[in-house]
Amino acid sequence: MHQPTRLVVLVSGSGTNLQALLDACADPAYGARVVAVGADREDIEGLARAERAGVPTFVRKVSDFETREGWDASLTTVVERFEPDLVVSAGFMKLLSTEFLDRFLTLNTHPALCPAFPGMHGPRDALEHGVKVTGATLFVVDAGVDTGPIIAQVPVAVEDDDDVASLHERIKTAERAMLVDTVGRIAREGIAVDGRRVRIGDAAR
Ligand code: GRF
């Protein structure tokens, strides 16, 4: 069997997507291992989840740096130390520099069906627009906001009595399953990105 794919996961909050990956990685057949968890802030549940799982953590706060470029460089350096095959941005609330993205294949989850409703408020914007179906998207991060090549999507129906919280919770349940399934397939079978077209599987090798 191949060495497990090395994942660095970046978080800013509750870290339920991270937890789903940690749980999946407990099975050697999954094919991946979380080698480090990084955050842009302290005292978040995402970091506590990593610590409970015995996974090394690091924090890089923008406010600790004189310039944004300094923060970008420090984040790249610390992630590099863990030699990831893949970086997963799972609820990480910062944009990553092009240097970072050129260096690491980085995936992100967004709680909407891209290209609809990019940005910080996917569930709210979907609800306000009145769509009947929204969902979650896993994509390869590029220089834009939720604009990168799409790897996987899952639909979630909007219910008449949904509010932002109830809709986001249902999206997150579907999002976690999609993330775990897709990252595992990438780890075991490979990924090829050709412009906007992404392929997972033997053909990708
Ligand atoms: C997810 O819905 C993610 O798509 C969005 O923020 C949420 C993070 O949740 N950007 P968690 O921290 O993984 O629980």
Side-chain angles (χ1 to χ4, degrees):
M1 202 162 128
H2 292 114
Q3 290 293 318
T5 293
R6 297 172 64 83
L7 308 178
V8 168
V9 183
L10 302 178
V11 295
S12 296
S14 64
T16 61
N17 282 291
L18 164 66
Q19 187 67 55
L21 286 171
L22 289 169
D23 294 347
C25 289
D27 179 355
Y30 182 66
R33 185 158 76 92
V34 180
V35 294
V37 171
D40 62 334
R41 61 199 75 189
E42 285 155 352
D43 299 325
I44 54 170
E45 184 59 19
L47 289 172
R49 290 176 192 277
E51 280 153 20
R52 287 197 292 272
V55 172
T57 62
F58 57 87
V59 175
R60 290 295 180 279
K61 287 159 68 176
V62 172
S63 58
D64 286 343
F65 292 82
E66 275 179 21
T67 63
R68 178 62 185 241
E69 290 71 25
W71 179 83
D72 287 329
S74 178
L75 186 71
T76 304
T77 302
V78 67
V79 169
E80 196 140 47
R81 211 177 286 159
F82 293 99
E83 301 181 345
D85 300 305
L86 264 188
V87 174
V88 181
S89 166
F92 188 61
M93 304 302 271
K94 292 282 181 300
L95 294 179
L96 296 161
S97 66
T98 50
E99 289 74 17
F100 186 100
L101 299 174
D102 287 345
R103 177 71 190 76
F104 309 109
L105 179 60
T106 304
L107 316 186
N108 190 20
T109 62
H110 179 61
L113 291 177
C114 296
F117 312 121
M120 303 276 282
H121 301 288
R124 183 199 71 187
D125 294 346
L127 202 59
E128 284 181 358
H129 197 86
V131 295
K132 301 301 183 194
V133 179
T134 182
T137 302
L138 181 68
F139 62 96
V140 180
V141 181
D142 68 6
V145 176
D146 303 324
T147 52
I150 292 168
I151 307 168
Q153 293 187 298
V154 59
V156 172
V158 179
E159 308 293 349
D160 288 345
D161 57 357
D162 264 332
D163 57 20
V164 175
S166 66
L167 179 59
H168 196 181
E169 269 316 305
R170 249 184 9 273
I171 292 172
K172 284 181 70 170
T173 301
E175 181 181 36
R176 287 191 288 270
M178 174 186 68
L179 178 69
V180 165
D181 176 59
T182 311
V183 168
R185 285 175 53 220
I186 292 170
R188 294 185 302 273
E189 301 170 34
I191 181 170
V193 183
D194 177 15
R196 287 210 58 86
R197 304 292 294 273
V198 178
R199 201 193 307 258
I200 300 173
D202 288 340
R205 285 191 178 278

